[in-house]
Amino acid sequence: MTHELLKISTPTGRWSGIGPYYAMFPREFAFNVVEKYSEVGQSILDPFAGRATSIYAAASLKRHGYGIEINPVGWLYGRVKLNPAPQKKLLARNYKIAKIANSVLIDELISLPEFFSFCYTQNVLRYLIAARKTLSWKHSYIDATMMALILINLHGKRESSLSNQMRQGKAMHPDYSIRWWQERDMSPPDIDPVEFMQNRIKWRYAKGIPELEKSKIVLGDSTLKLKQLVREIQTGKRQPFNLLFTSPPYYKITNYYYDQWLRLWMLGGHQHPIYTGENWKGRFESMVKYTQLLSNIFHNCSKVMANNAVVYIRTDARKFTFETTKNLLEKTFPKCSMQILPSPFKKETQTALYGDKECKPGEVDIILYL
């Protein structure tokens, strides 16, 4: 049975779906965990927040959520869910982008890699370039909301998004996409981007804006941001957390930055997919670095948890990922009781969406009672 708050007819349910992002908690699961393992008014921490499903669940259920996310796409989705701008402001912003789009020169279009002309019409591409130039999504909650709604519709099913036919959750490689479209003689849909986005804005706001408890998601590296939290709690500026609820990235599953390259371009990034080489922004190919990351995060989380707190970790059931996670949790919280619950595949879970087609062991929930 779907949680009452998550029905599409409610503001909470309608906004909970922002936005398409791989490796995300199923919404029903997140709401159930928050409701079962925390109380109204308590604080919840997620250092691998993704699109902030856990934090949104906390805010919806009258808890205080605090999330950290290193990928700006996931962070933007989370920020907007927690604090969307008024609809009137969004509609005005949409028309302002349209005016700027009229001044985008043809030279700016043809200077882009050929992928973009296969993916979008010139009319749509002008709109996207104008929005990319104009929206101050890191600093303005109005621009953040507008950009998040654009990112949701940036690519997906043809004529239901701004792009030629593509997957919505993951941007495919440009060369592969071009070949696929050419083989099927598919051109980008002839869409008026202003009218298209106006309709998407009105649909998103049709049931209103959710009433949420004050919560936050910050953009950055959890290994650094958690140290700030430790200092705040030690100096009395913040209360300890009652629930640590997260799902760390899985070993050798996916590269979150590579998979979101087109949305990252929209946010000012490269115009083709790249491997960044930066810490924690790859596919976690190194067992040593993967272990170091989890060890660092769990260690710092242990310093910000309240007495009698709960730690709820969803992880991959494959041997290395599971055993590494379990062993590090036992080392970090040596005197805690531990419960292990196998979790079958579901549509939105991580392992089900990644890797080869062979049978996988699924996921596992590890629960510790401090």
Side-chain angles (χ1 to χ4, degrees):
M1 180 178 177
T2 301
H3 197 291
E4 287 297 316
L5 287 174
L6 287 175
K7 290 183 177 179
I8 200 69
S9 58
T10 68
T12 303
R14 184 153 298 201
W15 285 88
S16 69
I18 291 179
Y21 196 68
Y22 265 20
M24 56 194 176
F25 278 144
R27 289 169 288 174
E28 184 78 14
F29 164 73
F31 271 68
N32 289 339
V33 169
V34 168
E35 205 162 39
K36 182 175 181 180
Y37 293 96
S38 67
E39 298 178 5
V40 170
Q42 290 189 333
S43 297
I44 295 165
L45 172 65
D46 187 347
F48 299 107
R51 66 172 191 163
T53 304
S54 58
I55 306 306
Y56 185 77
S60 301
L61 295 167
K62 302 186 185 304
R63 280 79 164 165
H64 303 281
Y66 188 96
I68 307 169
E69 175 53 38
I70 197 170
N71 192 313
V73 176
W75 171 80
L76 185 60
Y77 290 152
R79 178 187 179 183
V80 168
K81 283 190 291 191
L82 295 171
N83 186 29
Q87 179 180 358
K88 185 177 180 180
K89 299 284 188 180
L90 268 289
L91 293 172
R93 208 70 176 111
N94 186 41
Y95 284 112
K96 184 175 181 180
I97 294 170
K99 289 182 179 179
I100 297 170
N102 292 331
S103 65
V104 174
L105 301 175
I106 188 67
D107 288 350
E108 293 184 73
L109 307 184
I110 62 178
S111 67
L112 290 168
E114 64 173 347
F115 164 85
F116 288 89
S117 62
F118 278 92
C119 190
Y120 303 108
T121 62
Q122 288 190 0
N123 196 24
V124 170
L125 199 50
R126 280 192 170 91
Y127 179 91
L128 295 179
I129 291 173
R132 188 172 182 264
K133 289 179 177 180
T134 305
L135 297 178
S136 181
W137 53 271
K138 281 188 179 180
H139 307 292
S140 163
Y141 85 122
I142 297 171
D143 286 2
T145 308
M146 189 69 221
M147 181 60 86
L149 297 182
I150 291 173
L151 292 188
I152 292 169
N153 298 284
L154 187 62
H155 55 83
K157 187 176 180 181
R158 191 176 183 277
E159 295 184 354
S160 295
S161 69
L162 294 166
S163 74
N164 207 339
Q165 181 72 26
M166 288 186 72
R167 297 173 70 173
Q168 189 182 33
K170 175 181 179 180
M172 306 306 291
H173 191 279
D175 293 342
Y176 172 86
S177 300
I178 291 171
R179 287 197 303 270
W180 197 90
W181 292 325
Q182 286 180 326
E183 289 170 359
R184 292 160 179 78
D185 195 25
M186 296 184 74
S187 58
D190 185 13
I191 288 175
D192 178 344
V194 183
E195 180 182 357
F196 180 91
M197 288 306 305
Q198 175 182 283
N199 292 336
R200 293 302 184 272
I201 292 167
K202 289 182 176 179
W203 181 88
R204 186 65 62 180
Y205 283 82
K207 302 302 178 180
I209 294 176
E211 295 183 9
L212 304 173
E213 203 68 30
K214 186 177 180 180
S215 297
K216 185 177 184 179
I217 180 170
V218 297
L219 176 63
D221 182 344
S222 286
T223 64
L224 303 176
K225 295 295 182 180
L226 282 172
K227 292 179 181 178
Q228 296 177 17
L229 278 184
V230 172
R231 289 192 292 269
E232 290 178 13
I233 289 175
Q234 289 175 342
T235 56
K237 294 180 180 179
R238 179 183 294 274
Q239 294 298 310
F241 293 90
N242 307 99
L243 172 63
L244 170 61
F245 178 31
T246 193
S247 182
Y250 298 169
Y251 173 68
K252 271 192 172 181
I253 289 293
T254 188
N255 184 319
Y256 298 95
Y257 275 71
Y258 193 91
D259 290 344
Q260 292 292 334
W261 75 267
L262 189 50
R263 290 188 172 104
L264 288 169
W265 166 78
M266 192 66 206
L267 296 180
H270 295 275
Q271 58 191 17
H272 51 79
I274 64 167
Y275 294 99
T276 69
E278 298 178 52
N279 276 344
W280 327 131
K281 295 183 179 180
R283 192 168 175 253
F284 294 99
E285 300 279 356
S286 167
M287 290 183 176
V288 173
K289 288 187 176 181
Y290 183 80
T291 303
Q292 288 174 344
L293 173 63
L294 266 59
S295 178
N296 181 297
I297 297 302
F298 292 155
H299 174 72
N300 282 313
C301 284
S302 71
K303 297 181 179 182
V304 301
M305 303 308 296
N307 296 329
N308 301 317
V310 175
V311 175
Y312 197 112
I313 308 295
R314 170 158 283 190
T315 190
D316 182 3
R318 292 176 304 153
K319 184 176 180 179
F320 172 75
T321 312
F322 169 66
E323 290 187 354
T324 299
T325 305
K326 176 177 175 293
N327 292 341
L328 288 173
L329 287 170
E330 288 176 332
K331 182 179 179 180
T332 306
F333 306 98
K335 298 181 180 180
C336 300
S337 61
M338 178 180 287
Q339 182 181 8
I340 298 176
L341 302 174
S343 177
F345 287 135
K346 294 180 181 179
K347 183 178 180 181
E348 293 179 294
T349 55
Q350 296 187 29
T351 310
L353 291 169
Y354 286 102
D356 58 44
K357 301 299 182 181
E358 294 178 5
C359 182
K360 301 292 189 306
E363 293 174 314
V364 175
D365 293 343
I366 304 175
I367 311 167
L368 292 89
Y369 303 89
L370 310 190

